[in-house]
Amino acid sequence: MPAIQEISEQLIRTNISRAVCDVFKTMLNRDESGVTMHEGVAASWPPLPPDGEAIPQVVGTVGFIGDANGLIYLYLPETFAQLVTCHLLGMDARELEEAGDEVINDAIGELTNMTVGSFKSGLSDAGFPCKLTIPSILRGSNFCIEPISNVQRYIYSFESSGHRIVADILMKAGD
């Protein structure tokens, strides 16, 4: 089984950028400039506004196992997760409120699954075949994910319609 050292940061960056941009553009009907990647986000993570008050987040996560092993956490501010869900399901805010958080969880779980599936396809095409795990959702406003030892972490920030999307990638650093 190939070790993480064989998977370059460039390959990871290229695949997550393509995956996030393609999925959000397609699912949210954005044009080519609708989703942009920002470099150098790690210093400003976790997502806290200037006044220090934590922003409620809906975080989808999907893992991948095989010749590459890891997890991707896709962070969306709760307000953006609500807008995304309304758009994906053709709902208005009142309908979404009546439907509850489970609908948001399902929509963000599926959006994360599509994004990580696209990322995984890029790894597979590069010679690192792997399979996806089931999606899960984490919600909150004052938490951080801390990797264990032997894990490489990559954090990338994107913007769509003024909203920040963060992809936090944890990859196993060996067999």
Side-chain angles (χ1 to χ4, degrees):
M1 200 187 288
I4 185 64
Q5 290 80 2
E6 297 176 35
I7 301 175
S8 70
E9 191 276 336
Q10 177 63 41
L11 178 64
I12 293 166
R13 183 178 343 112
T14 297
N15 281 302
I16 196 62
S17 179
R18 178 189 42 76
V20 169
C21 291
D22 288 353
V23 168
F24 276 79
K25 285 176 192 169
T26 300
M27 299 310 294
L28 300 177
N29 297 325
R30 302 287 191 244
D31 62 19
E32 285 302 307
S33 63
V35 181
T36 56
M37 181 176 181
H38 299 286
E39 299 290 336
V41 68
S44 63
W45 194 246
L48 294 174
D51 64 6
E53 187 176 324
I55 300 169
Q57 301 284 310
V58 178
V59 183
T61 185
V62 174
F64 48 94
I65 55 173
D67 285 0
N69 296 295
L71 294 165
I72 296 181
Y73 295 90
L74 202 60
Y75 290 73
L76 285 81
E78 186 175 46
T79 54
F80 188 48
Q82 293 167 349
L83 291 172
V84 166
T85 301
C86 285
H87 183 83
L88 289 174
L89 302 178
M91 302 172 87
D92 62 31
R94 183 189 53 76
E95 292 170 319
L96 182 61
E97 187 174 331
E98 289 174 5
D101 287 346
E102 270 191 46
V103 173
I104 297 169
N105 293 350
D106 288 345
I108 301 308
E110 185 54 34
L111 194 71
T112 304
N113 197 47
M114 289 185 284
T115 303
V116 179
S118 179
F119 176 84
K120 174 210 69 95
S121 291
L123 291 181
S124 294
D125 291 347
F128 301 94
C130 45
K131 297 180 187 248
L132 297 181
T133 65
I134 59 172
S136 61
I137 296 293
L138 174 65
R139 287 173 161 269
S141 58
N142 193 14
F143 62 88
C144 66
I145 305 298
E146 293 185 12
I148 60 172
S149 62
N150 205 30
V151 170
Q152 293 290 320
R153 187 177 205 174
Y154 307 90
I155 299 174
Y156 303 96
S157 178
F158 302 84
E159 186 176 316
S160 178
S161 301
H163 299 279
R164 186 175 181 194
I165 304 159
V166 173
D168 187 358
I169 304 170
L170 304 176
M171 293 184 68
K172 189 172 180 197
D175 292 335

